[in-house]
Amino acid sequence: MVDDGSPDRCGLICDEYAKHDSRFVVLHTTNQGTYKARNLALDVACGDYIGFVDADDWLEQRMYEELLELALKHNADITQCEIVNEGVYAQTRSKHIGYTKIYYQNELICAMFQEEITHGLINKLFRADIWTNRRFLEGYYHVDAMMMAQVDSFCNIFVRIDAALYHYNTTNPSITRGRKKLIHVKSMKKLFSIYSSMAESNKMEGSFFICREIPSIGRLFTLSKEISVKILLRHIRYMHRIFRKHWGTARTTREYHNSPKAKKFLWHIYYYCPTMASLLVYWYTKLFKNR
């Protein structure tokens, strides 16, 4: 358990657990961010499997038992359950497919873009040797998604079940839902650069995912002390170049043809005028929130 400079009694609560159960190891640090904290934990972790839990989330009691049984049964490197969004933001998608499914290395990126494999870490159990020489990139947000976008480089067998065992708390403020800073802009560029690279081997699924997601990012950014008009416009131009690169392929997919007309209309506006589309998304989101 990593007490990452918590300003409340979390550190003391962690110490109480460690007093009564020797399996708990507590690391106290100054606040250095989520991924630095996870890297510190990986340096001392000694189990055969690794899982990650955010401090304000909660698990069904049997979650890791079920994921471990699944890993042992199928000799899987990673296993995954579904997520329940708890709060006002339906932030994390977790697609229900109706049965246990096994993915092999050459299927992983496609499944990730189709969101059968979620882009986060919290609802998964990893074989520990995946992390022997692997650590999280520091100085960015969305690093979990950056990691999972390259899942085929460290996973041969991935198994998922539909059981909803991880409860993701979206009520409290977080670094990705709070006031935006320059690091948010930098992180989004880095993430979609990785997505764009991975889409080269999964053009249909990757291109549609990228072109669906990029126009919606307009709801995320507002002007602030760190994000000037110049920075915002430069960011929109950068993301627009990625969008245009994949737009031709995205329009040929079944997912595009099955999308609502309003979505298609937004994407077409974004193709020709990304700044206007970004403003429309931002204004719509503000109006929706106010209601």
Side-chain angles (χ1 to χ4, degrees), residues 40-138:
L40 290 171
L42 287 169
D43 289 341
V44 301
C46 57
D48 295 324
Y49 290 85
I50 301 287
F52 301 92
V53 183
D54 288 347
D56 53 354
D57 299 343
W58 65 98
L59 318 176
E60 293 293 329
Q61 190 172 10
R62 69 187 189 280
M63 173 178 155
Y64 282 126
E65 179 182 0
E66 291 200 20
L67 292 182
L68 178 59
E69 287 178 355
L70 204 63
L72 296 174
K73 179 180 178 180
H74 298 283
N75 192 31
D77 300 301
I78 307 174
T79 53
Q80 171 188 293
C81 63
E82 280 198 29
I83 294 172
V84 181
N85 282 288
E86 301 284 357
V88 296
Y89 300 98
Q91 184 168 328
T92 301
R93 295 185 178 94
S94 190
K95 185 179 288 185
H96 187 89
I97 61 175
Y99 55 92
T100 298
K101 189 167 182 179
I102 302 172
Y103 305 89
Y104 297 98
Q105 187 178 31
N106 64 331
E107 303 170 308
L108 294 174
I109 299 301
C110 177
M112 186 271 301
F113 279 130
Q114 292 177 327
E115 296 176 297
E116 292 182 10
I117 292 176
T118 57
H119 295 224
L121 306 170
I122 52 179
N123 59 329
K124 297 175 177 65
L125 187 66
F126 298 82
R127 194 191 300 273
D129 58 17
I130 287 174
W131 303 99
T132 301
N133 297 307
R134 181 172 282 102
R135 292 295 183 268
F136 294 108
L137 187 65
E138 297 176 17

Side-chain angles (χ1 to χ4, degrees), residues 182-201:
L182 197 56
I183 187 175
H184 290 90
V185 177
K186 182 176 75 167
S187 300
M188 198 61 68
K189 287 182 177 179
K190 180 73 171 178
L191 175 60
F192 275 87
S193 293
I194 293 172
Y195 282 151
S196 183
S197 176
M198 301 312 295
E200 292 300 316
S201 59

Side-chain angles (χ1 to χ4, degrees), residues 1 12-24 26:
M1 295 186 291
L12 295 175
I13 294 170
C14 291
D15 289 336
E16 284 298 314
Y17 273 95
K19 283 180 184 178
H20 296 95
D21 191 328
S22 61
R23 294 174 299 176
F24 285 100
V26 183

Side-chain angles (χ1 to χ4, degrees), residues 212-237:
R212 185 195 70 188
E213 292 296 310
I214 284 180
S216 300
I217 295 171
R219 73 189 187 280
L220 299 178
F221 297 126
T222 56
L223 299 176
S224 67
K225 291 182 179 179
E226 290 191 31
I227 303 177
S228 65
V229 172
K230 183 178 179 180
I231 289 172
L232 198 57
L233 291 176
R234 190 188 308 143
H235 172 72
I236 290 172
R237 287 194 294 270

Side-chain angles (χ1 to χ4, degrees), residues 122-176:
I122 52 179
N123 59 329
K124 297 175 177 65
L125 187 66
F126 298 82
R127 194 191 300 273
D129 58 17
I130 287 174
W131 303 99
T132 301
N133 297 307
R134 181 172 282 102
R135 292 295 183 268
F136 294 108
L137 187 65
E138 297 176 17
Y140 291 91
Y141 297 152
H142 309 296
V143 175
D144 48 356
M146 295 178 196
M147 181 77 73
M148 290 307 302
Q150 303 169 78
V151 62
D152 64 340
S153 67
F154 53 83
C155 179
N156 293 311
I157 301 176
F158 186 110
V159 185
R160 57 149 292 164
I161 52 175
D162 280 334
L165 304 175
Y166 192 99
H167 295 264
Y168 182 58
N169 183 9
T170 64
T171 300
N172 296 330
S174 74
I175 58 174
T176 55

